[in-house]
């Protein structure tokens, strides 16, 4: 029983590897299914082909589509960043919050918390046009961007202002068991000229304006800071990563288990 393959640790490692392989396979199947569903969603660019499709559909409406990677053009004056120079966008989110610490008598230590969080959201009307074409005959107006899910805002400013501990602050700590730590400022924007892909309902209105808006059937309204091809590629890469980990841990587990069984049978024959 001196052979390392016959140690209990080998069985533990083999079982753990096979268990991880099963978990990674489940993640791979879920991601692959999610990617396939995304591929089944019709996708377009703002061009005359999209206009022809909308004109040919009942009620001039496409219930759920993706508008392929396009540039953002503000319909009028864009929003200027409050903190970053020469930074302009069409959606702005400013977050200001205070970081405090309070004394936990049970743990005998200071515990962090965030208080007085304030958010300010601003947006101006904007449209999606074909890449490289800021002046286009066909554009898609994006409706209600603040209602959309998705990570489409870029952080353009973040600053922590450390609190100064004066005499008043020290007295406050003694009586309340709380002390200020820092004031955080953060600004996020959807910049003019960025790539964006939107998932939602497309409708052609009477004035020939194409609008992307939240779907009426309850499906997710999503904006992604990427072109459609890159978005799908990231999902495929994620699925391939889980697939590779499934194979790696599966082969490792089977190899260890086979080595354990082979060594045990060989010892019995002696």
């Amino acid at each position: 029983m001196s052979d390392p393959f016959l140690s209990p640790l080998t069985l533990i490692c083999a079982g753990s590897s096979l268990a991880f392989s099963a978990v990674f396979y489940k993640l791979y199947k879920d991601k692959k299914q999610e990617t396939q569903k995304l591929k089944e969603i019709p996708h377009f660019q703002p061009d005359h082909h999209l206009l022809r499709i909308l004109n040919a559909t009942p009620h001039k409406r496409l219930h759920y589509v993706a508008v392929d990677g396009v540039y953002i053009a503000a319909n009028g004056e864009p929003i200027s960043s409050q903190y970053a120079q020469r930074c302009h966008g069409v959606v702005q989110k400013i977050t200001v919050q205070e970081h405090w610490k309070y004394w936990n008598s049970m743990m005998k230590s200071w515990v962090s918390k965030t208080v007085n969080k304030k958010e300010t959201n601003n947006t101006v009307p904007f449209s999606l046009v074909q890449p490289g074409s800021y002046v286009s005959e066909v554009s898609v107006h994006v409706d209600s961007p603040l209602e959309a899910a998705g990570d489409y805002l870029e952080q353009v400013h973040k600053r922590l202002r450390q609190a100064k501990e004066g005499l008043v602050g020290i007295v406050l700590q003694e009586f309340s068991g709380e002390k200020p730590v820092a004031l955080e400022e953060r600004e996020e924007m959807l910049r003019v000229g960025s790539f964006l892909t939107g998932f939602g309902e497309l409708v052609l209105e009477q004035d020939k304006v194409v609008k992307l808006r939240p779907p009426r059937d309850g499906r997710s309204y999503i904006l992604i800071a990427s072109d459609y091809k890159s978005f799908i590629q990231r999902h495929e890469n994620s699925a391939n990563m889980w697939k590779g980990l499934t194979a790696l841990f599966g082969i490792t587990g089977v190899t260890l288990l086979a080595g354990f069984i082979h060594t045990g049978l060989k010892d019995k024959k002696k």
Side-chain angles (χ1 to χ4, degrees):
M1 295 293 290
S2 61
D3 195 302
F5 266 111
L6 290 179
S7 68
L9 183 60
T10 302
L11 279 180
I12 294 173
C13 290
S16 299
S17 296
L18 292 174
F20 276 117
S21 179
V23 172
F24 293 145
Y25 180 73
K26 175 67 166 55
L27 293 172
Y28 160 69
K29 293 291 289 184
D30 289 346
K31 180 57 69 172
K32 185 179 179 181
Q33 186 178 18
E34 180 185 351
T35 304
Q36 186 58 40
K37 287 182 178 179
L38 287 172
K39 288 182 177 180
E40 292 173 358
I41 299 172
H43 60 92
F44 302 92
Q45 286 192 345
D47 53 21
H48 290 285
H49 172 67
L50 175 58
L51 283 180
R52 288 193 294 269
I53 295 294
L54 283 169
N55 276 310
T57 57
H59 308 295
K60 301 186 186 318
R61 180 183 295 119
L62 295 172
H63 294 287
Y64 201 72
V65 300
V67 181
D68 198 1
V70 292
Y71 285 97
I72 302 165
N75 299 340
E77 191 70 24
I79 302 170
S80 296
S81 168
Q82 290 192 14
Y83 304 99
Q85 294 183 352
R86 296 184 295 276
C87 180
H88 307 283
V90 291
V91 179
Q92 179 190 55
K93 178 181 177 182
I94 298 176
T95 305
V96 178
Q97 57 188 2
E98 298 177 17
H99 295 276
W100 284 64
K101 286 186 177 181
Y102 69 94
W103 179 255
N104 189 313
S105 57
M106 295 183 63
M107 298 175 62
K108 302 297 181 182
S109 63
W110 291 96
V111 180
S112 300
K113 68 175 181 178
T114 302
V115 298
N116 299 329
K117 183 177 181 179
K118 297 179 181 178
E119 286 188 2
T120 303
N121 296 297
N122 298 305
T123 182
V124 295
F126 67 96
S127 299
L128 307 179
V129 298
Q130 283 186 297
S133 175
Y134 283 93
V135 179
S136 176
E137 295 181 6
V138 182
S139 62
V140 176
H141 175 81
V142 179
D143 230 7
S144 308
L146 295 177
E147 295 182 19
D151 185 18
Y152 63 93
L153 295 179
E154 175 188 355
Q155 182 173 286
V156 298
H157 169 81
K158 183 177 181 180
R159 180 169 62 177
L160 282 173
R161 295 182 178 180
Q162 300 297 327
K164 296 180 180 180
E165 291 191 5
L167 179 62
V168 176
I170 294 173
V171 173
L172 180 64
Q173 292 177 35
E174 293 295 329
F175 284 95
S176 67
E178 296 184 343
K179 62 179 181 180
V181 177
L183 178 68
E184 179 184 352
E185 299 171 347
R186 187 171 67 251
E187 183 181 26
E188 299 167 284
M189 296 189 73
L190 181 57
R191 294 195 189 195
V192 171
S194 303
F195 273 103
L196 188 76
T197 297
F199 292 82
E201 181 181 84
L202 271 181
V203 58
L204 178 62
E205 298 191 340
Q206 293 181 353
D207 52 2
K208 301 300 179 183
V209 174
V210 182
K211 284 192 175 182
L212 177 71
R213 65 189 187 187
R216 296 182 179 181
D217 58 8
R219 282 185 279 188
S220 299
Y221 184 39
I222 302 172
L223 297 177
I224 305 294
S226 168
D227 62 277
Y228 179 83
K229 184 178 180 180
S230 299
F231 175 67
I232 295 296
Q233 186 63 53
R234 286 200 301 272
H235 277 71
E236 291 179 338
N237 291 343
S238 179
N240 289 333
M241 179 191 71
W242 295 125
K243 183 179 180 181
L245 289 172
T246 299
L248 175 62
F249 279 82
I251 292 171
T252 301
V254 170
T255 301
L256 290 173
L257 186 60
F260 182 88
I261 295 173
H262 175 74
T263 303
L265 292 175
K266 185 171 66 174
D267 283 358
K268 283 185 178 182
K269 291 180 180 180
K270 291 182 180 180

